[in-house]
Amino acid sequence: MTELLGRMIRKPQGAIGIVLLVVLGAICLLGPWLAPYGPEKMDFLGRFRAPGWQNLFGADQFGRDVLSRLLSGARATVPMALAATLAGSAMGAVIGVASAYLGGKTDELIMRTNDAVMAIPGLLMALLLVSTLGNGAGNAVVAIAIAFAPGMARVTRSVALAVRNQDFVKAAVARGEGAAQIILREMLPNVMGPIVIEATIRVSFAVMLFATLSFLGLGAQPPASEWGLMVADARQYMHRAPWILIAPSAAIALSAIAFNLVGDALRDALNPRDDR
């Protein structure tokens, strides 16, 4: 692990991504305690207060401290995106490995169905699912997970096809192990490297997708301080108080950049050609 971390921080983008990710993790864990005010504390005398010593990132249309809402809202954005990515990656990985192991007509059926689902853009798929399941952060997580699963299944299958012909899989078949045991216990652990890399990169898309659903009123609901919801509330005041819009937008962008940089650094660190 230490060696892997050293390879990741060898390049500037990896070091920057890890630093951003550590800061983001600290905010998610300690945000409510670091916030100078309560996220819902209103001060109508301070409506649209510009950034200054009293409110470092300014105040919104209700006089609420923007920095406090950002710090508290990190828990409503990043963990949800992580949960959606983990769920979608798990579903896609199992589907991809099962398809590679079963092969033949079963593989063809699974992959053609998977391709049909992948033809629908991720945002549109998530919108359709949330519209069916109903508004709410939980349903948004489920929708994003389902939208991510087909892409992960395709990536996992391409790696699992090579693993299927390895000796340890043939030995498991010779021992009489069932298909479920071979898929979950033998093949899946041996394709985790590409899955972890792909999942890390996909977290950035999940952050933006979850924020988009909240922006459209389909994800987190008021009075939550979720970042996408903050952007939606601020858009009508962007000319009067642009800091209300800039702060949560920058938080979403930096979170996406952090996961992208870490995912790229992890991919390069696990690539044997990286030493050239």
Side-chain angles (χ1 to χ4, degrees), residues 54-75:
Q54 194 168 354
N55 301 100
L56 293 180
F57 286 8
D60 65 8
Q61 68 272 23
F62 296 111
R64 298 174 298 188
D65 183 59
V66 174
L67 175 60
S68 299
R69 289 178 60 77
L70 281 177
L71 294 174
S72 300
R75 286 187 174 184

Side-chain angles (χ1 to χ4, degrees), residues 202-217:
R202 283 180 179 268
V203 175
S204 61
F205 295 102
V207 169
M208 293 186 290
L209 192 53
F210 188 79
T212 301
L213 292 176
S214 297
F215 177 82
L216 297 173

